[in-house]
Amino acid sequence: ETVVTDQGVAYTTHAFHSALTAIGASIDHPPAGLPQLRAHIERSFGTLRTRLIGEFTGQTFANIAERGDYPSEKRASLTIDELCWALVRHVVDVYHNTPHAGLGGETPREAWIRLSNLYGVVPPPDRDTSRNAFGVCLRPRALDQRGVRCLNLHYQSKDLQAYRRQVGDARLEVIVDPDDIGRVSVKLGE
């Protein structure tokens, strides 16, 4: 429902804000230089650093002073894919199933089940909404009697052909989800 980020350049772009708006999420950017306003995520980073990342060589530590002259790059022991796998496994299998003092001894998983049963959960966006928000925008594609050609496939719909009958052959913006090319989104007019 709400995405909270720091003031990083990637999080203040029009594209980032548009994608979140498209899925109905609100955005919160606490002021820069005040990490205490992001205490939950900062604590999460600290927990991951001490409980997981500290188990591997090649870490960069909390800051440059703490790192000192430790040769992080030379001691790297994981690829990015291996690190991502380890992070997911740790959060899913360890963190979510470890009792938490801030939850009165309940595990995050138990708290999620209890509270989602009590309040429900906002469902994720459907495939069309996700594609429109996060998909890859392609250069305009030609619309003709076969539809719109994208990735060497022709995409067709009644709405697309009704639009073509109104405006004739045209070049239209197309959005595609690279993981699901069964459908594309096409921008008709404004």
Side-chain angles (χ1 to χ4, degrees):
E1 293 179 36
T2 301
V3 175
V4 181
T5 70
D6 60 21
Q7 296 286 338
V9 174
Y11 304 125
T12 58
T13 64
H14 177 72
F16 183 79
H17 282 247
S18 294
L20 292 179
T21 300
I23 63 167
S26 62
I27 305 155
D28 185 12
H29 299 290
L34 299 171
Q36 63 272 24
L37 296 179
R38 295 178 299 280
H40 294 285
I41 192 65
E42 296 292 340
R43 180 63 254 154
S44 296
F45 292 152
T47 298
L48 284 172
R49 190 171 65 79
T50 57
R51 292 189 186 170
L52 175 68
I53 303 302
E55 300 296 319
F56 300 104
T57 60
Q59 59 182 300
T60 57
F61 301 92
N63 55 55
I64 294 172
E66 188 179 327
R67 177 180 172 188
D69 59 1
Y70 180 80
S72 299
E73 285 138 10
K74 290 180 182 175
R75 306 255 351 250
S77 56
L78 297 172
T79 65
I80 294 293
D81 288 341
E82 291 168 332
L83 175 61
C84 290
W85 182 88
L87 285 167
V88 169
R89 296 297 354 143
H90 177 78
V91 170
V92 171
D93 293 337
V94 178
Y95 181 80
H96 284 164
N97 292 297
T98 300
H100 193 287
L103 297 173
E106 196 174 29
T107 69
R109 179 179 176 274
E110 292 165 341
W112 171 264
I113 291 168
R114 177 177 54 79
L115 293 171
S116 61
N117 285 334
L118 185 62
Y119 297 105
V121 177
V122 175
D126 61 36
R127 284 186 168 279
D128 292 333
T129 302
S130 292
R131 179 180 52 258
N132 291 334
F134 305 114
V136 176
C137 296
L138 304 176
R139 60 180 166 71
R141 305 296 176 157
L143 169 63
D144 61 26
Q145 73 277 4
R146 295 174 295 175
V148 171
R149 185 171 177 219
C150 175
L151 303 173
N152 215 23
L153 299 169
H154 286 92
Y155 293 89
Q156 186 65 269
S157 75
K158 290 179 183 178
D159 291 338
L160 200 53
Q161 285 306 317
Y163 181 79
R164 182 177 165 264
R165 284 190 294 278
Q166 288 177 359
V167 301
D169 290 351
R171 297 190 64 76
L172 304 172
E173 292 180 32
V174 175
I175 302 174
V176 65
D177 174 354
D179 295 323
D180 179 6
I181 61 169
R183 295 172 68 128
V184 296
S185 296
V186 179
K187 183 176 181 182
L188 304 179
E190 295 301 315

